Amino acid sequence: KAGVTQTPRYLIKTRGQQVTLSCSPISGHRSVSWYQQTPGQGLQFLFEYFSETQRNKGNFPGRFSGRQFSNSRSEMNVSTLELGDSALYLCASRRLTGEVNTEAFFGQGTRLTVV
Amino acid sequence: GQQLNQSPQSMFIQEGEDVSMNCTSSSIFNTWLWYKQDPGEGPVLLIALYKAGELTSNGRLTAQFGITRKDSFLNISASIPSDVGIYFCAGLSAGGTSYGKLTFGQGTILTVHP
């Protein structure tokens, strides 16, 4: 069974640009969550999608948005990039069929560098 | 909001030593998860705990779900150099507006000297 796949692995963008990151969950998993990881702040929750609906949201500005498609694949978009958005962006998938508390499995992440 | 306090923040040990780290929370969790992250990679799930008091092992790793449901610990026995990495605890919440949200500890950086 394939794991969680994130693309691209590495990305360099300029301040003010926008970026879209993609996450394909494990087959059969319906929940996708996104996290930002920086050395100083650890793992910060961005949002979670389940059945194409946002279920939970962290404390990030509106420049960070996401969506989920009918095949459970998810995209995350960051507009008007700032230097501080440089981070490892991680996606995690969970099965969530009838039970809330199932394990989360992570992708390898997308390393975003804003210059 | 929910917070997880993970300690210690870092550990420097000799190969062969045992390691212990823990997480405490002000909130109750239904599930505790422990992850290991290698540099530049995503966290990998090590152990999942579902019941208060549960003690689970995975090779040299042992983790426990605290009776109060507000804490968990992870032990690594007879450490080896490949145990190096960052270890995270994570709790899945029991209810309220954060239902089903995964909250992470700050991580424990483990260094093992050969």
Side-chain angles (χ1 to χ4, degrees):
Chain A
K1 197 185 232 187
V4 180
T5 304
Q6 290 189 246
T7 55
R9 284 294 310 273
Y10 303 94
L11 207 47
I12 299 176
K13 289 285 189 179
T14 306
R15 261 185 309 176
Q17 287 187 313
Q18 73 162 10
V19 67
T20 299
L21 312 181
S22 178
C23 173
S24 293
I26 292 170
S27 177
H29 284 201
R30 298 166 64 190
S31 161
V32 173
S33 299
W34 288 90
Y35 296 84
Q36 182 195 66
Q37 186 177 31
T38 57
Q41 297 296 319
L43 278 158
Q44 301 291 313
F45 173 73
L46 281 152
F47 27 65
E48 179 186 13
Y49 285 87
F50 177 75
S51 292
E52 303 177 65
T53 302
Q54 189 180 87
R55 278 166 30 110
N56 284 303
K57 189 175 187 307
N59 297 321
F60 277 81
R63 299 184 298 107
F64 292 82
S65 63
R67 60 177 174 168
Q68 187 180 34
F69 302 95
S70 58
N71 62 357
S72 294
R73 189 178 72 84
S74 177
E75 287 182 347
M76 190 192 99
N77 185 274
V78 188
S79 61
T80 321
L81 283 165
E82 300 176 359
L83 295 178
D85 296 334
S86 296
L88 181 67
Y89 288 88
L90 292 161
C91 145
S93 80
R94 289 198 277 163
R95 185 167 40 89
L96 287 192
T97 51
E99 296 174 15
V100 173
N101 292 320
T102 55
E103 305 98 329
F105 296 90
F106 283 86
Q108 292 182 296
T110 295
R111 171 70 64 186
L112 171 65
T113 303
V114 182
V115 297
Chain B
Q2 294 172 326
Q3 289 189 339
L4 281 185
N5 294 313
Q6 185 172 350
S7 64
Q9 283 189 315
S10 61
M11 302 183 75
F12 298 84
I13 62 170
Q14 290 293 130
E15 183 176 358
E17 288 183 356
D18 296 344
V19 170
S20 185
M21 58 192 80
N22 69 83
C23 278
T24 59
S25 168
S26 56
S27 305
I28 289 172
F29 288 110
N30 276 356
T31 299
W32 283 95
L33 306 172
W34 284 92
Y35 290 88
K36 177 179 182 252
Q37 186 177 28
D38 292 326
E41 301 292 328
V44 174
L45 181 65
L46 298 173
I47 289 181
L49 301 157
Y50 300 103
K51 295 182 196 173
E54 180 181 355
L55 185 72
T56 297
S57 292
N58 178 9
R60 294 179 295 107
L61 278 58
T62 302
Q64 184 157 31
F65 192 144
I67 288 290
T68 65
R69 295 168 65 192
K70 292 184 179 181
D71 63 332
S72 177
F73 73 74
L74 175 71
N75 285 347
I76 305 173
S77 63
S79 59
I80 58 178
S82 62
D83 289 335
V84 164
I86 305 176
Y87 291 80
F88 290 97
C89 65
L92 273 167
S93 57
T97 58
S98 301
Y99 192 50
K101 192 175 90 171
L102 199 58
T103 302
F104 280 87
Q106 304 94 323
T108 295
I109 301 171
L110 179 63
T111 303
V112 180
H113 294 288

